[in-house]
Amino acid sequence: MIYLDNNATTAMDPRVATLLAEQWAGGPANASSQHQFGRRARGRLEASLDRIGRCLGSDLTRVDAARLIVTSGGTEANNLAINGLASSAEGAAKSAILVSAIEHPSVLAAAAVLQQQGRLVLQIDVNADGVVSLDHLQHLLAETKRLGQPTGLVSIMSANNETGVIQPISAAAEVCRHHGALLHVDATQSIGKTPVNLQQWNAAAVTFTPHKYHGPAGVGFLWLAPGIAVQPMFSGGEQQLDTRPGTEPVPLVVAAAEATAIAVEEQAAVATKLTRLRDHLESELQRRHPALIVHGHSAPRIGSTTCVSLPGRNRQTMLMALDLVGVACSSGSACSSGSSPPSHVLIAMGAEKSAIDSALRFGVSKFSTDEEIVRAIELISRKMRPSGGFAHVEN
């Protein structure tokens, strides 16, 4: 099986898997317990969180330090950010919320719930390449202020999970700061693929999860800039200063720190490899199928991701046909691909219906090989032909 769905999740790095197994075998690890087992667990937990912070350009040990909240994954971290920041922003009950039109479903759904509760929620436009419009962001910030509901929270992802298009986060942060709005960044797809310095982004909050860069699933993080507080989503414990109650999964956090360190250390070399493999996949498919559309190709993109369309084909039919012959890919976000709705990202980019209906996402990783890409090109190309369908392909 050729795995080209690395935006959904990645294979765990063997070095991380070994460390995780050792941690699990090390005995009970409740960092809230006061006995020796608990104290040792607390030490490993805090050291691992500090390590993650250092890797991402944030010193968590200072008196006025940022915080790193442990969650169950990126979806919970995004929900905690949207709900928690929206509830704690100045004038929260009346403040507006802006989200880019290409956000992950966990951000859009959380914002939609707040909208149902009476909050003003507006979407920021993107251009045809999927880049957030800073002009429209400026306009919405000014318009909400004019309406007497100044924006309290803005959410823009750092790199899109469907197209790989990189967003102008630092510039957006400057705009938000000028208008007194907090900026949340979903950085789930960026770590290990492009340099990430949380301090330099000047965002109020950043979410990420290590299973997107060869770490364990089941754990995620919400980074909060110094002085930023969020309202908790859950009740029932005093862990993490009451922000996110529940026993911290110490082995997963230790493994996440290892995965983060490896991802940052190897980022430059890995990014070069990913871009080379991605570009070969795209160029060869375009050579064989001149009508092929590569979404966001004119904008800066992370090297792992390509979203392509061949008008006249059906994305779900091609997805299933590729699965039968040994190529794993997706037709959109993994959090919504079970029902396979049309891509909200491509709709926001103004893509034609025929392109949306035929869009497939391919994601390579550091474990992808040249041989796999060559083989995948052949299999994908066969399935993109009019007679491709579910016909049997000899291996």
Side-chain angles (χ1 to χ4, degrees):
M1 193 75 183
I2 302 172
Y3 185 74
L4 296 179
D5 196 19
N6 286 282
N7 288 39
T9 195
T10 57
M12 197 180 301
D13 188 299
R15 293 166 288 183
V16 178
T18 298
L19 178 60
L20 181 57
E22 292 172 353
Q23 290 291 313
W24 273 332
N30 188 329
S32 297
S33 298
Q34 297 181 14
H35 47 61
Q36 292 184 35
F37 285 101
R39 294 196 300 274
R40 286 198 292 267
R42 172 60 56 184
R44 295 202 304 276
L45 176 67
E46 293 181 352
S48 296
L49 292 174
D50 289 344
R51 186 185 186 193
I52 294 171
R54 289 194 306 273
C55 288
L56 300 178
S58 180
D59 183 358
L60 304 181
T61 64
R62 297 172 45 179
V63 175
D64 59 342
R67 294 177 59 198
L68 196 58
I69 308 301
V70 182
T71 70
S72 63
T75 291
E76 185 194 336
N78 279 337
N79 273 264
L80 178 57
I82 299 301
N83 288 285
L85 291 171
S87 299
S88 61
E90 187 175 349
K94 294 183 178 180
S95 64
I97 300 161
L98 306 182
V99 296
S100 87
I102 58 168
E103 292 304 300
H104 187 270
S106 60
V107 169
L108 296 176
V113 170
L114 292 173
Q115 186 173 34
Q116 292 168 3
Q117 295 172 354
R119 299 291 290 274
L120 176 62
V121 177
L122 301 172
Q123 289 195 356
I124 311 163
D125 291 343
V126 299
N127 65 18
D129 281 316
V131 180
V132 167
S133 169
L134 295 179
D135 288 340
H136 193 230
L137 172 61
Q138 287 264 27
H139 168 74
L140 291 178
L141 287 165
E143 182 65 13
T144 56
K145 188 175 295 184
R146 186 188 68 80
L147 294 172
Q149 295 179 276
T151 299
L153 175 64
V154 175
S155 185
I156 301 174
M157 57 177 25
S158 56
N160 185 256
N161 54 302
E162 292 190 30
T163 64
V165 171
I166 297 171
Q167 303 301 323
I169 294 302
S170 294
E174 182 65 29
V175 173
C176 291
R177 187 164 54 251
H178 177 73
H179 287 270
L182 301 177
L183 175 65
H184 162 250
V185 178
D186 178 356
T188 299
Q189 295 294 338
S190 292
I191 298 173
K193 302 165 188 173
T194 188
V196 172
N197 187 303
L198 301 179
Q199 211 71 43
Q200 291 180 0
W201 272 349
N202 289 318
V206 179
T207 54
F208 57 97
T209 180
H211 79 94
K212 302 291 188 177
Y213 51 91
H214 306 288
V219 64
F221 301 95
L222 172 61
W223 178 89
L224 297 174
I228 299 297
V230 296
Q231 291 293 320
M233 291 173 56
F234 307 135
S235 302
E238 299 179 357
Q239 292 90 346
Q240 305 193 71
L241 301 178
D242 291 324
T243 303
R244 200 279 187 179
T247 302
E248 299 97 331
V250 176
L252 291 177
V253 175
V254 174
E258 181 73 2
T260 306
I262 292 171
V264 171
E265 180 181 349
E266 299 179 351
Q267 185 269 318
V270 168
T272 298
K273 175 182 178 179
L274 297 180
T275 301
R276 177 175 58 80
L277 294 177
R278 189 273 313 275
D279 288 352
H280 181 48
L281 176 65
E282 285 182 354
S283 61
E284 186 59 22
L285 288 177
Q286 284 184 306
R287 186 188 69 81
R288 298 185 184 203
H289 308 278
L292 188 83
I293 299 168
V294 178
H295 298 284
H297 67 92
S298 298
R301 292 181 291 160
I302 52 175
S304 61
T305 308
T306 182
C307 181
V308 301
S309 294
L310 189 61
R313 307 296 181 269
N314 178 276
R315 67 183 189 280
Q316 199 65 16
T317 299
M318 287 194 294
L319 177 70
M320 297 171 67
L322 288 172
D323 182 53
L324 289 174
V325 298
V327 177
C329 62
S330 70
S331 59
S333 170
C335 292
S336 61
S337 59
S339 57
S340 190
S343 168
H344 70 281
V345 173
L346 298 184
I347 292 173
M349 292 167 63
E352 298 287 342
K353 184 178 185 302
S354 60
I356 296 171
D357 290 343
S358 60
L360 291 177
R361 180 186 70 177
F362 299 96
V364 296
S365 83
K366 67 179 182 180
F367 295 129
S368 300
T369 66
D370 290 278
E371 293 76 15
E372 285 179 328
I373 298 304
V374 169
R375 180 61 178 157
I377 289 168
E378 181 62 31
L379 293 171
I380 296 167
S381 184
R382 292 184 193 183
K383 291 304 170 187
M384 282 184 168
R385 294 175 189 144
S387 59
F390 292 91
H392 177 67
V393 177
E394 293 294 337
N395 292 319

